[in-house]
Amino acid sequence: MRLSIVQTKLHWENPEANLGQLATMLDPLAGQTDLVILPEMFSTGFSMNASKLAEGMDGTTVSWMRGQAAHLNAVVCGSFICSEHGNYYNRFVWMQPDGEAYTYDKRHLFSLAEEHRFFTAGSKRLVVDWKGFRVCPMICYDLRFPVWARQEKGNPYDLLLYVANWPRPRAHHWRAMLHARAIENQCYVAGVNIVGSDGNKISYQGDSSIIGFGGEMLCQMSETPGVFTTQLSLESLKNYRTQLAFLADADDFEIKL
């Protein structure tokens, strides 16, 4: 499967500018990729101004994703501020080229930014099948909670995604935990972050990365906006899990919400 990560600087609370900028970045990928990953809250930046910025699933951002997925003939995914049934969600949308969409609402809300005051937490993981891979998407702060990403015995996913606005002061946490999630879950991990600074003067270092199932770095971007595409091998992953069958010895567990 061809995987593309998109690292960019976001225009604060300006969906029109962000969607236009991203459309330009994505256009060369048409027919050249299978899965495109955008950052967390890619249309607005990590804003708590949900009452002003939220859209429904029939709004501009999701419609834009549907159009981009069809144009690229690839899945386009990332999170946005969603309004549904009177609540606001930091919602990840997995948009397929046929227009079918799957969603995941961020489980761990970032209390240091008071995200929990404005958004409702999700309660279910999402695993989707694409090009033979089982893919599990998560959002930013979820990275700090390894139990939420733990493989289910006998039914593993193959690719773990984290879309983020992860700040510069804790960049070493981002790098270390992405590697840890790959090694402990024996899966590919892709983490997509932003660069620049936002409307709260918080600085972001980038470090968008793709990590192999053995913990090897396949890609680490610097602080420059850009797109990186690589090929993932499902056969190599399965061979690795056969040779080093660590997942079979994992503890049984149940998450109580």
Side-chain angles (χ1 to χ4, degrees):
M1 179 173 68
R2 298 167 297 177
L3 169 68
S4 300
I5 56 176
V6 182
Q7 178 172 280
T8 188
K9 180 176 181 179
L10 296 178
H11 301 274
W12 185 246
E13 298 185 348
N14 189 338
E16 183 177 1
N18 287 317
L19 298 183
Q21 171 180 265
L22 287 167
T24 299
M25 295 178 74
L26 297 188
D27 191 58
L29 293 174
Q32 304 300 312
T33 190
D34 300 304
L35 172 57
V36 178
I37 311 172
L38 307 177
E40 177 184 24
M41 292 191 184
F42 63 83
S43 59
T44 60
F46 189 62
S47 173
M48 299 300 103
N49 196 0
S51 61
K52 173 186 175 183
L53 298 170
E55 306 173 27
M57 288 295 292
D58 58 351
T60 300
T61 297
V62 175
S63 295
W64 177 88
M65 295 180 76
R66 184 171 286 109
Q68 288 296 316
H71 171 61
L72 302 178
N73 193 29
V75 167
V76 174
C77 61
S79 88
F80 81 112
I81 301 175
C82 182
S83 175
E84 189 173 80
H85 306 309
N87 295 316
Y88 301 120
Y89 299 92
N90 186 345
R91 176 166 290 179
F92 180 99
V93 176
W94 171 279
M95 182 62 70
Q96 298 187 167
D98 62 1
E100 186 170 10
Y102 298 91
T103 64
Y104 162 72
D105 295 327
K106 188 178 182 181
R107 169 63 185 156
H108 299 94
L109 302 178
F110 189 46
S111 57
L112 287 181
E114 299 191 323
E115 188 179 14
H116 63 294
R117 290 186 52 216
F118 302 97
F119 293 85
T120 298
S123 59
K124 294 182 180 180
R125 289 199 325 188
L126 173 68
V127 178
V128 292
D129 296 308
W130 185 242
K131 301 294 181 179
F133 282 74
R134 302 188 76 240
V135 185
C136 181
M138 296 193 175
I139 303 174
C140 202
Y141 195 42
D142 287 332
L143 179 59
R144 288 193 176 274
F145 305 96
V147 172
W148 190 238
R150 190 72 73 226
Q151 294 278 23
E152 293 182 359
K153 243 182 178 180
N155 192 32
Y157 56 77
D158 307 306
L159 171 61
L160 181 60
L161 309 181
Y162 288 98
V163 299
N165 282 203
W166 195 281
R168 181 184 300 275
R170 294 179 293 283
H172 59 297
H173 296 183
W174 166 259
R175 293 189 293 266
M177 289 189 289
L178 287 175
H179 278 276
R181 296 299 87 80
I183 293 168
E184 68 198 8
N185 291 299
Q186 292 191 307
C187 67
Y188 290 103
V189 171
V192 178
N193 197 20
I194 64 168
V195 295
S197 59
D198 65 16
N200 293 319
K201 303 189 185 304
I202 296 172
S203 178
Y204 301 90
Q205 81 289 347
D207 285 340
S208 296
S209 304
I210 303 171
I211 299 163
F213 42 79
E216 67 278 13
M217 183 68 76
L218 303 180
C219 161
Q220 184 175 42
M221 302 180 75
S222 61
E223 294 190 37
T224 304
V227 180
F228 180 85
T229 301
T230 193
Q231 184 97 23
L232 305 184
S233 170
L234 188 60
E235 181 181 3
S236 296
L237 170 58
K238 289 181 176 179
N239 289 339
Y240 182 83
R241 286 177 176 165
T242 299
Q243 294 166 8
L244 299 171
F246 301 145
L247 296 179
D249 297 327
D251 299 311
D252 293 318
F253 67 96
E254 179 182 357
I255 298 176
K256 295 183 179 179
L257 302 175

